[in-house]
Amino acid sequence: METRVKPYNKESIAEGAEIIRRGGVVAFRTETVYGLGANAYDAAAVRQIFRAKGRPSDNPLIVHLPSVGGIETVAREVPDYAGILIDRFMPGPLSLVLKKRPLIPDAVTAGLDTVAVRVPADAAAREFIAAAGVPVAAPSANLSGRPSPTAAAHVLADMNGKIPLILGEELAVVGLESTVLDCTVYPPQILREGGITREQIEAALGITLSGAEKNSDKPRAPGMKYKHYAPNIPLYYAANGRETALIDKLEEIGADGGAAVIVLTRAAAELFCELDCDVLIAGEGLKESARNLYSVLRSAEKIFENLLVLGAPDDGIGRAINNRLEKACGGNLL
Ligand code: AMP
Ligand code: MG
């Protein structure tokens, strides 16, 4: 199958919508990352997403809607406090986990009684979902375990020949996946940190939330137990403040180790400017670094043999960045 990349426009949106209606799979840009979408009501179509990604079937997908008005068509219970979050943050990079309606098949939810719903802020993505005429179930459009795609070229690298169409050529502006918030409990629980920060949710609801659960044998969000976001070369992660551990590792790897240091702010780069290695600055500040992070990982793996990353300060979007890096390092914590 030939995979074509098209910018969002009237014709490409109509073509993508038609593929979805016929039970096919389309990659589409959103403000977070590119999604790999299929008709959320069609279990056979949804199973093709899992096949294309090599995704374990017990890792559920997010159901994407063109407007918040559609939420009650897929969810049967929307608590009052969730209504506040919907008004405040949707459309946007926030996915709410709610009790599902029976018409959402098990293939989407991995057999759970809950469904994650999101309305993208990307207006073109919303137009595409509206044109499809059905909710669009989608995970990120990468091969399972790889960094999420934030550019059409990333999707093409992972999905070429497996899907007919990639919609949207420009970059995903947030660059990290949505925040996943379990609203079947109170207080709600963050299952994945993301584009809407814990601080924003706490301020909107006037409460304090506990953190996202770390990897455990019984993860609340099924996807939490798998390797994620990883480049195909070793990645070492030093939490913010552990610069010395990073420098020690750099020395251990040695000059022939093809190592590069990735930092998330220009200020952090200064800590390493005396060292004899490449220093990649993901962005001037954390917002820009979040946008560029996966792109930097995908570029760096082609050039270097080892990556060492210094984490961000642990608040706001920094926490979401650190969460991705912690998972991407596959236990290589410094
Ligand atoms: P992805 O967009 O590839 O990161 O995958 C969707 C994410 O949403 C995964 O991390 C899932 O664990 C999470 N998710 C989707 N549906 C649910 C649900 N019903 N309950 C908990 N987490 C969910
Ligand atoms: Mg993903």
Side-chain angles (χ1 to χ4, degrees), residues 75-320:
R76 66 183 147 84
E77 256 178 64
V78 182
D80 289 346
Y81 73 82
I84 296 172
L85 300 175
I86 291 168
D87 289 346
R88 179 80 181 74
F89 300 117
M90 292 168 96
L94 176 65
S95 300
L96 301 183
V97 173
L98 300 163
K99 294 271 185 206
K100 83 174 184 81
R101 288 196 188 277
L103 81 177
I104 298 295
D106 282 349
V108 172
T109 65
L112 297 170
D113 185 36
T114 56
V115 62
V117 296
R118 187 166 104 78
V119 181
D122 188 321
R126 288 204 306 274
E127 249 179 74
F128 160 62
I129 300 161
V134 289
V136 173
S140 51
N142 51 283
L143 286 175
S144 193
R146 299 269 301 139
S148 299
T150 52
H154 302 161
V155 183
L156 200 58
D158 284 15
M159 293 295 154
N160 197 9
K162 296 184 170 185
I163 58 172
L165 182 62
I166 300 169
L167 280 178
E169 289 185 321
E170 309 77 14
L171 301 178
V173 295
V174 174
L176 290 183
E177 303 79 357
S178 61
T179 304
V180 178
L181 186 71
D182 184 354
C183 293
T184 65
V185 292
Y186 191 84
Q189 194 184 0
I190 295 181
L191 301 179
R192 174 174 78 185
E193 309 266 3
I196 298 293
T197 63
R198 181 194 303 177
E199 289 84 349
Q200 285 176 290
I201 296 169
E202 288 179 336
L205 298 181
I207 57 171
T208 303
L209 301 176
S210 56
E213 279 189 17
K214 300 270 179 193
N215 282 350
S216 72
D217 288 345
K218 276 199 177 160
R220 286 285 299 276
M224 290 165 95
K225 67 175 183 266
Y226 297 108
K227 189 182 101 170
H228 261 112
Y229 321 118
N232 59 17
I233 56 172
L235 176 93
Y236 298 91
Y237 170 66
N240 198 267
R242 294 192 47 79
E243 295 77 7
T244 325
L246 189 151
I247 291 169
D248 288 349
K249 187 70 194 180
L250 200 56
E251 275 173 13
E252 187 191 315
I253 292 171
D256 295 336
V261 174
I262 300 175
V263 294
L264 304 168
T265 60
R266 183 166 291 280
E270 283 168 23
L271 300 166
F272 305 108
C273 63
E274 304 281 291
L275 299 174
D276 185 23
C277 75
D278 288 278
V279 179
L280 313 176
I281 305 172
E284 293 293 331
L286 293 184
K287 206 171 160 193
E288 195 185 336
S289 283
R291 181 183 306 158
N292 295 335
L293 180 66
Y294 292 134
S295 185
V296 170
L297 294 180
R298 280 180 180 261
S299 309
E301 71 181 10
K302 295 185 184 133
I303 303 167
F304 301 100
E305 290 159 57
N306 287 284
L307 297 174
L308 301 93
V309 189
L310 180 68
D314 220 20
D315 58 30
I317 196 71
R319 213 169 15 237

Side-chain angles (χ1 to χ4, degrees), residues 37-99:
N39 178 355
Y41 295 146
D42 181 345
V46 167
R47 279 193 289 269
Q48 292 182 55
I49 297 175
F50 286 85
R51 230 172 291 138
K53 282 187 61 114
R55 183 177 175 102
S57 61
D58 62 349
N59 193 0
L61 312 183
I62 294 169
V63 172
H64 294 73
L65 300 162
S67 69
V68 296
I71 291 174
E72 296 198 10
T73 64
V74 297
R76 66 183 147 84
E77 256 178 64
V78 182
D80 289 346
Y81 73 82
I84 296 172
L85 300 175
I86 291 168
D87 289 346
R88 179 80 181 74
F89 300 117
M90 292 168 96
L94 176 65
S95 300
L96 301 183
V97 173
L98 300 163
K99 294 271 185 206

